[in-house]
Amino acid sequence: MRESEIEKKLVSHIKKLGGIAYKFSSPNRKSVPDRLCVMPNGRTFFVELKAEGKTPTPLQLYEHELLRTLGHTVLVIDNIGDVYAIA
């Protein structure tokens, strides 16, 4: 499945849960995760989306680790099952 299809499902699922899936980009940091999900009760997390079977680049992995070191949750999703596992 293509990344764009998985992303559409993610945005729809997050909305059904009462949250917002902001498209996230940074002009000076090309490797930031694709979406910033803001959920009810103050829960937030980043999502890196990939086509099925694809993996993040080394620069993306570096950015994920930096965010995790700062205490944030970063999910890497490459299939619909992982989208619907978000609760």
Side-chain angles (χ1 to χ4, degrees), residues 9 14 16 24 29 33 37 39 49 64 70 85-86:
K9 296 287 186 186
I14 295 298
K16 286 179 186 172
F24 188 58
R29 295 186 80 105
C37 296
M39 304 298 288
L49 293 149
H64 298 173
L70 293 170
I86 297 172

Side-chain angles (χ1 to χ4, degrees), residues 3 5 18 47 52 55 68-69 71 75 78 84:
E3 181 178 324
E5 295 171 43
V47 178
E52 202 161 352
T55 58
R68 288 180 180 124
T69 299
L75 306 175
D78 73 343
Y84 293 121

